[in-house]
Amino acid sequence: MDELPGSMGTSASLALRLGQTIFASASLLFMCLDVEFYSYTAFCYLVTVMGLVVPWSMTLVVVDAYSVFVKCLPRQPKIVIILILGDWVLSYLSLAAACSTASVTDVLLDAGASYCPAKLCSRYQLSAAMAFLSWFLSLASSLFNFWLLPSL
Amino acid sequence: MDELPGSMGTSASLALRLGQTIFASASLLFMCLDVEFYSYTAFCYLVTVMGLVVPWSMTLVVVDAYSVFVKCLPRQPKIVIILILGDWVLSYLSLAAACSTASVTDVLLDAGASYCPAKLCSRYQLSAAMAFLSWFLSLASSLFNFWLLPSL
C-alpha cells in the first residue's frame, strides 16, 4: 500500500484534520459567544454546519492519531468511500455556510452601526474566514482520499 | 464506447446543458433587469458567475447538439478532464453565488419594505432559486462525465 501524503492514516492527514477541527471550532466560537446570531438565518445555518463538521473532524483526528502513533489501521475501500462522500458533502455545506455568512456580514456592514456594532461585525467576519479555511481543508482531504481510491 | 446517459455527447447531456443555460440566463435576467444590483456585493458576484456559466453551457449545448444530431464526436480523455474540472469549479462558484444571494435577500426581507420593495425582493428570490437549479445541473453533468472517465 503506497503512502500518499494526505490520505487517511498519514501524518499529513492528521494535520489536515486537526486544522479542520481548529478552524471549525473557532468559527463556531466566534459566532456563538455572541447571543444575537439567532436573528439571521445564515448565521444559524453556519452554526448548524460547523456543529456537524466539528464532531466529524474530531473523530477522524482520533482515527488518524491512532493510525500514526500506535498501529497502522488497514484501509478498507468502503470506509474510504464513506470518508470521501462525507468530506465532499461537508465541504459543499461549509462553502455554502461561509458564503452566506460573509455576504450577510457585508450587507450588515453597509447598513451601518445600528445593525452591526464594530465589535460584533468583526467577529462575524472572523467566523466567516474560519469557515472558509475549514472548507478548504475539507476539500483537500476529500481530494487526497479520492486519489487513493483507485489503488484499493 | 459505452453510451452512459448524461455523459458528453448523449441526448441526456444535451438536456442537462440546455437546463443549465436556461436557468443561468433566467437568474441573470431576473437580477440584471433591475438596475439596483450594484449596491450589494453578493448580487454582483452572482451576475459575474452566471456570466461565466452561460457561455460555458451554451458552447457545450452546441457541441452536444452536433454530436447528437449530426455526427458522434470522438471523446478524448483530455477534453473530458477539462469538462469535468470546468463543471466542478463552476458548480462550486454557482453554489457560493446562490447561497450569498439567498441569504442577502433573506436579510433584506427582514429589514423591511424600505430596503426591499416586494416586487424587487421576489425577483431576487427567483434569481437565487434559478442559480440553485443551475448549480444542481452543473453538479450532475460533472458527476456523469466523471463516471465516464475510467472507461477512456
Side-chain angles (χ1 to χ4, degrees):
Chain A
M1 195 177 288
D2 55 340
E3 279 290 319
L4 179 77
S7 61
M8 188 197 157
T10 60
S11 46
S13 169
L14 178 62
L16 279 177
R17 299 294 178 186
L18 269 179
Q20 283 164 35
T21 314
I22 291 167
F23 287 131
S25 311
S27 174
L28 205 55
L29 283 180
F30 277 122
M31 190 55 80
C32 282
L33 285 182
D34 157 36
V35 289
E36 277 181 42
F37 78 88
Y38 295 111
S39 41
Y40 300 101
T41 319
F43 295 167
C44 295
Y45 179 59
L46 181 81
V47 169
T48 314
V49 171
M50 289 300 139
L52 287 172
V53 172
V54 170
W56 169 266
S57 299
M58 276 177 98
T59 314
L60 293 170
V61 162
V62 173
V63 172
D64 279 342
Y66 185 84
S67 192
V68 168
F69 295 116
V70 184
K71 196 181 71 175
C72 190
L73 294 172
R75 288 181 198 138
Q76 292 172 338
K78 276 186 188 170
I79 293 180
V80 174
I81 289 178
I82 292 175
L83 276 186
I84 295 167
L85 281 182
D87 276 328
W88 193 60
V89 170
L90 283 179
S91 82
Y92 266 110
L93 291 178
S94 317
L95 178 67
C99 285
S100 306
T101 308
S103 51
V104 168
T105 309
D106 187 61
V107 169
L108 289 180
L109 270 178
D110 275 354
S114 61
Y115 283 93
C116 179
K119 203 181 149 198
L120 273 188
C121 251
S122 60
R123 207 188 262 177
Y124 294 149
Q125 283 174 322
L126 275 173
S127 183
M130 295 293 148
F132 271 115
L133 288 173
S134 164
W135 160 67
F136 187 74
L137 294 182
S138 287
L139 186 63
S141 281
S142 176
L143 289 178
F144 281 126
N145 277 319
F146 194 74
W147 206 252
L148 179 77
L149 196 59
S151 72
L152 289 179
Chain B
M1 196 177 289
D2 56 341
E3 277 290 319
L4 178 78
S7 61
M8 188 193 156
T10 60
S11 47
S13 170
L14 179 61
L16 279 177
R17 299 293 177 189
L18 270 180
Q20 283 164 34
T21 313
I22 292 168
F23 288 131
S25 312
S27 172
L28 205 55
L29 283 180
F30 278 122
M31 191 54 82
C32 282
L33 286 182
D34 157 35
V35 290
E36 276 182 41
F37 78 89
Y38 294 111
S39 42
Y40 300 102
T41 320
F43 296 166
C44 295
Y45 179 59
L46 181 82
V47 169
T48 314
V49 171
M50 289 299 139
L52 286 171
V53 172
V54 170
W56 169 265
S57 300
M58 278 177 98
T59 315
L60 293 170
V61 163
V62 173
V63 172
D64 279 342
Y66 185 84
S67 191
V68 168
F69 295 115
V70 185
K71 195 182 70 174
C72 189
L73 294 172
R75 288 181 196 136
Q76 291 172 336
K78 274 186 190 169
I79 293 179
V80 175
I81 288 178
I82 292 174
L83 276 186
I84 294 169
L85 281 182
D87 276 328
W88 192 60
V89 169
L90 282 181
S91 82
Y92 266 109
L93 292 179
S94 318
L95 177 68
C99 286
S100 306
T101 309
S103 52
V104 168
T105 310
D106 187 61
V107 168
L108 289 180
L109 271 178
D110 275 355
S114 61
Y115 282 95
C116 178
K119 202 181 148 197
L120 272 187
C121 250
S122 60
R123 204 187 264 178
Y124 294 149
Q125 281 173 325
L126 276 173
S127 181
M130 296 293 147
F132 270 115
L133 287 173
S134 162
W135 160 66
F136 188 73
L137 294 181
S138 286
L139 188 63
S141 281
S142 176
L143 288 179
F144 281 126
N145 278 318
F146 195 73
W147 208 254
L148 180 76
L149 196 58
S151 73
L152 289 179

